[in-house]
Amino acid sequence: MSHVLFSIEDQIATLTLNRPEKLNSVTPEMARAIMTHVQHCNENDQIRAVIITGAGERAFCAGSDIAELDTYDTPWVFRNRPDYCDAIRALRKPAICAINGYALGGGLETAMSCDIRIASDTAKFASPEVKLGWIGGGGMAYMLVHNIGASNAARMLMTGEPVSADTALAWGLVSQVVPHEALQSQAREIAQMIAARPPIAVQTAKTNIRAAYAVPLETAIQYERDLQTICFATQDADEGRRAFKEKRSPVFEGR
């Protein structure tokens, strides 16, 4: 049985962590599979959005399988392991995370590596590594501080205690909380809206958002204007303007 499921339907790829008996914790083999699927998503122009979720009722992902950590020969080998969070951040296509339960440790980092996060009302979020004597290593502190602020980040990182879906929503960690049974349909609805947009503009928007984290205001504005100019030169932009004038729905081809 595959521990990472992958499917494509109507220009939307779905990647499902499929190890529910272990709270979808990630093994090195699963990390390599995620990397392979991300590469396929990036290379396949028919894929316009990606949904990432977990199998079962209890968990989205509990992070790395702790039982596997002692299999690394040295801390340096551990440092250079295949990293599934790096893989998710390498996605050029928009990523929607449907958080169906626990998002712990690397599972929380995986969720934060996605562009849009929606959560089941049963979801819980934690950075519990401190309870075991270490800290997160997949961008945990950086992403938490940028998403929920320094004080809330410190509370999560230093206590390791979980927060509820409602708290995550109030802090800005997720965009929406929905009833558990509505999670997948809501994620797909968002993915369908994005898939209907011009793909070059959408991927450029993703690039622009990433840049906004890292550069000063004036540099960010200039970069945004350059990206806008690139988009404006595409056939899709021409089609968008024509469709607006002709009062019809545009047909975008990613050119």
Side-chain angles (χ1 to χ4, degrees), residues 120-191:
S120 159
D121 54 8
T122 64
K124 291 188 180 299
F125 304 81
S127 176
E129 292 92 341
V130 70
K131 294 182 177 182
L132 300 176
W134 63 86
I135 62 172
M140 181 72 80
Y142 179 90
M143 291 187 289
L144 277 177
V145 168
H146 277 79
N147 280 285
I148 65 176
S151 179
N152 291 331
R155 175 174 168 178
M156 292 189 71
L157 291 167
M158 294 176 185
T159 69
E161 290 300 305
V163 299
S164 68
D166 286 340
T167 297
L169 179 63
W171 286 357
L173 187 56
V174 299
S175 299
Q176 186 178 9
V177 174
V178 299
H180 186 78
E181 61 274 12
L183 178 66
Q184 300 303 327
S185 61
Q186 180 61 21
R188 189 157 191 86
E189 181 178 330
I190 295 170

Side-chain angles (χ1 to χ4, degrees), residues 96-111:
I96 300 106
C97 191
I99 305 161
N100 54 304
Y102 290 113
L104 310 177
L108 176 54
E109 290 169 336
T110 299

Side-chain angles (χ1 to χ4, degrees), residues 48 198-200 236 252-255:
R48 296 193 178 184
I200 295 174
D236 279 347
F252 298 118
E253 298 182 356
R255 297 179 181 176

